[in-house]
């Protein structure tokens, strides 16, 4: 890393410029690079120093990037093979119409938790939700609240890009962050079910024209659909289970998501009898994560700028002057970045890269920091400047105005998870 110190205000200007450009619909990768370049130059760095800072920053995120690519393989298998649909149908069928809201929220939670990206999870369950909503008289707002809330709960315990970014941002095992998010996720699921139940008659009801033209048939048997995700999760949990139970052989097995997720994907594909489609599934998976990996590279450039600035010291100093607990910096940074960019994964990437050093400097433990940043990022990430807002609106055949009405309920669900995580890891288990 170049031996140069950028003033804190230049780093802030660079970060704000990047966020402004993203809000103006400029490509996020270029927005982040332009912000990083502007911050370096404003801070007095030479052209050569600026290049060195950006290169060093992008190199620092390569570990996260290759793990995200590995996660894309599992996501591609789950989505393209029909395994995710099979899991969703099994849950809804098992719980029945009387527990419709619970079944829908649980479906998106589980599908997201096993490695499917949250927008795709909602797309998968949405046709089922609309059919159930038409039969049971549940409004679209309530249905999407259940789907989105369940998805948010699953997203903080999944091997998805956001969790990988949270883990690598604080140099932790992916499985540790997944496990730590479990209790907040349960609160999120409960909040989604309760809130959706309370508003089940509020807003526009499902029309016959909203229902899918064709129903899904020939679903993969649930036992086969579960092989890839269950194998991945079991293997990822070997190390933390060994540590907890003090089984040294298991504790010393450093099993990484980098090879576990592709391995489980291949085994699952073969078990489903779809071995010949593996190339197709992996191509779809890498296509899904390409945008995230590119954003990671852009975020690495911003992280390079922040790392050579004195911003972390200034933030810690400000917190000490104000007198508030430095613990709150972690969730607040996640919330602000989620609001700014409208993406959980991008928010976590920016929050850990920009404020990770300052958060740890306040005395916050790495695992606590990761969970609080992560849950903070899901509080208000479903804003109109993000893709998730529009994907979910289209999946439920909702107007922009109707979709906007769901945001306060999503904020309540995400906010509860953040509060639980902050109280639990920031204070009780500190």
């Amino acid at each position: 890393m170049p031996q140069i110190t950028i003033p804190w205000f230049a780093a802030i200007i660079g970060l704000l410029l990047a966020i402004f450009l993203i809000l103006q619909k400029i490509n996020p990768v270029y927005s982040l690079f332009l912000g990083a370049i502007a911050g370096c130059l404003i801070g007095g760095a030479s052209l050569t120093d600026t290049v060195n800072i950006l290169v060093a920053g992008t190199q620092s995120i390569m570990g996260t990037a290759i793990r995200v690519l590995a996660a894309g393989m599992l996501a591609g298998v789950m989505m393209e093979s029909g395994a995710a649909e099979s899991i969703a149908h099994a849950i809804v069928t098992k719980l029945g119409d009387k527990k419709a809201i619970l079944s829908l929220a649980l479906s998106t939670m589980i599908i997201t938790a096993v490695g499917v990206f949250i927008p795709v999870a909602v797309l998968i369950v949405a046709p089922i939700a609309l059919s159930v909503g038409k039969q049971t008289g549940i409004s679209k707002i309530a249905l999407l609240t259940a789907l989105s809330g369940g998805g948010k709960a699953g997203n903080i315990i999944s091997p998805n890009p956001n969790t990988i970014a949270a883990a690598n941002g604080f140099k932790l095992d992916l499985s540790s962050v997944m496990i730590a998010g479990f209790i907040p996720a349960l609160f999120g699921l409960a909040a989604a079910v309760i809130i959706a139940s309370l508003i089940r008659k509020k807003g526009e009801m499902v029309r016959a024209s909203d229902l899918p033209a064709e129903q899904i048939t020939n679903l993969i048997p649930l036992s086969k659909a579960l092989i890839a995700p269950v194998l991945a999760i079991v293997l990822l949990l070997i190390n933390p289970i060994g540590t907890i139970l003090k089984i040294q052989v298991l504790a010393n097995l450093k099993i990484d998501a980098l090879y576990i997720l592709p391995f489980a994907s291949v085994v699952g594909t073969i078990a489903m009898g779809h071995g010949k489609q593996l190339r197709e599934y992996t191509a779809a998976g890498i296509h899904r994560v390409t945008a995230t990996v590119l954003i990671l590279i852009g975020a690495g450039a911003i992280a390079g700028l922040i790392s050579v600035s004195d911003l972390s010291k200034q933030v810690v100093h400000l917190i000490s002057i104000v007198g508030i607990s430095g613990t709150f910096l972690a969730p607040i940074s996640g919330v602000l970045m989620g609001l700014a960019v409208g993406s959980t994964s991008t928010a976590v990437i920016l929050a850990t890269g920009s404020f990770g050093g300052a958060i740890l400097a306040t005395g916050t433990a790495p695992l606590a920091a990761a969970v609080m940043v992560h849950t903070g990022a899901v509080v208000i990430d479903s804003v109109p400047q993000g893709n998730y807002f529009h994907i979910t609106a289209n999946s439920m055949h909702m107007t922009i105005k109707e979709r906007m009405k769901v945001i306060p309920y999503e904020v309540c669900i995400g906010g509860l998870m953040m509060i639980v995580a902050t109280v639990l890891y920031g204070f009780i288990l500190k």
Side-chain angles (χ1 to χ4, degrees):
M1 180 64 70
Q3 297 299 312
I4 182 174
T5 301
I6 300 290
W8 65 270
F9 62 85
I12 289 290
I13 290 172
L15 181 60
L16 291 177
L17 175 61
I19 291 171
F20 172 77
L21 293 174
I22 290 173
L23 293 176
Q24 297 303 309
K25 304 299 183 182
I26 306 297
N27 183 282
V29 182
Y30 293 129
S31 297
L32 293 165
F33 269 114
L34 290 171
I37 292 170
C40 288
L41 296 178
I42 292 171
S46 67
L47 293 176
T48 301
D49 286 337
T50 298
V51 172
N52 290 335
I53 290 169
L54 266 64
V55 169
T58 53
Q59 287 176 340
S60 69
I61 55 82
M62 282 301 112
T64 303
I66 58 177
R67 287 174 176 84
V68 169
L69 289 172
M73 189 168 180
L74 177 61
V77 169
M78 294 299 296
M79 290 182 288
E80 299 300 317
S81 68
E85 287 93 337
S86 178
I87 294 171
H89 273 269
I91 295 170
V92 173
T93 303
K94 187 73 174 177
L95 292 177
D97 289 347
K98 291 183 179 180
K99 297 179 181 176
I101 289 177
L102 171 61
S103 68
L104 295 172
L106 189 61
S107 294
T108 40
M109 179 181 179
I110 291 176
I111 291 173
T112 310
V114 298
V116 176
F117 307 147
I118 182 171
V120 180
V122 174
L123 279 172
I124 288 169
V125 184
I128 307 171
L130 289 170
S131 297
V132 171
K134 180 65 175 174
Q135 295 171 21
T136 57
I138 302 173
S139 70
K140 290 183 184 180
I141 289 178
L143 292 171
L144 185 52
T145 297
L147 297 185
S148 189
K152 285 174 180 285
N155 212 22
I156 64 171
I157 57 173
S158 69
N160 276 342
N162 42 282
T163 318
I164 293 171
N168 283 30
F170 293 101
K171 296 179 173 55
L172 298 164
D173 291 331
L174 173 61
S175 55
S176 300
V177 180
M178 290 168 61
I179 293 171
F182 188 71
I183 293 176
L186 290 180
F187 276 86
L189 175 64
V193 173
I194 292 170
I195 292 172
S197 298
L198 292 174
I199 62 171
R200 61 185 299 147
K201 298 299 180 183
K202 183 175 182 178
E204 185 179 307
M205 306 305 289
V206 179
R207 301 183 300 267
S209 58
D210 295 322
L211 299 180
E214 297 180 3
Q215 299 297 322
I216 300 174
T217 57
N218 300 323
L219 291 170
I220 295 171
L222 182 62
S223 57
K224 292 184 177 181
L226 287 170
I227 290 174
V230 169
L231 178 60
I233 291 170
V234 167
L235 291 174
L236 286 171
L237 292 179
I238 286 177
N239 182 255
I241 288 173
T243 302
I244 293 170
L245 299 179
K246 300 187 185 305
I247 302 174
Q248 207 58 38
V249 176
L250 298 181
N252 291 335
L253 281 175
K254 298 300 181 183
I255 299 178
D256 197 285
L258 177 61
Y259 42 82
I260 289 304
L261 299 180
F263 172 73
S265 303
V266 173
V267 173
T269 302
I270 294 173
M272 288 185 287
H274 294 179
K276 292 183 179 179
Q277 282 76 48
L278 182 61
R279 183 170 63 179
E280 176 188 333
Y281 295 168
T282 54
I286 201 167
H287 175 73
R288 291 283 184 183
V289 298
T290 298
T292 301
V293 171
L294 291 175
I295 290 173
L296 264 171
I297 296 172
I302 284 286
L305 166 65
I306 301 295
S307 67
V308 298
S309 74
D310 61 351
L311 178 61
S312 295
K313 293 180 180 178
Q314 295 296 333
V315 170
V316 174
H317 179 62
L318 178 62
I319 288 172
S320 64
I321 292 175
V322 175
I324 63 171
S325 173
T327 301
F328 294 120
L329 178 59
I332 289 173
S333 65
V335 172
L336 292 178
M337 293 300 101
L339 174 62
V341 299
S343 163
T344 306
S345 55
T346 308
V348 173
I349 292 163
L350 289 176
T352 55
S354 301
F355 299 101
I359 292 168
L360 296 179
T362 64
T364 303
L367 182 59
V371 180
M372 289 189 287
V373 167
H374 200 191
T375 52
V378 302
V379 174
I380 189 166
D381 58 338
S382 54
V383 283
Q385 64 263 33
N387 290 331
Y388 180 70
F389 176 93
H390 300 283
I391 290 172
T392 51
N394 292 336
S395 68
M396 297 298 292
H397 302 281
M398 300 173 79
T399 63
I400 298 298
K401 182 178 179 181
E402 193 78 0
R403 177 63 181 87
M404 289 289 292
K405 294 177 182 178
V406 183
I407 294 178
Y409 304 118
E410 293 172 308
V411 171
C412 290
I413 296 165
L416 177 62
M417 290 194 289
M418 180 191 69
I419 291 169
V420 171
T422 303
V423 171
L424 185 60
Y425 294 101
F427 296 98
I428 296 176
L429 300 178
K430 187 173 182 179

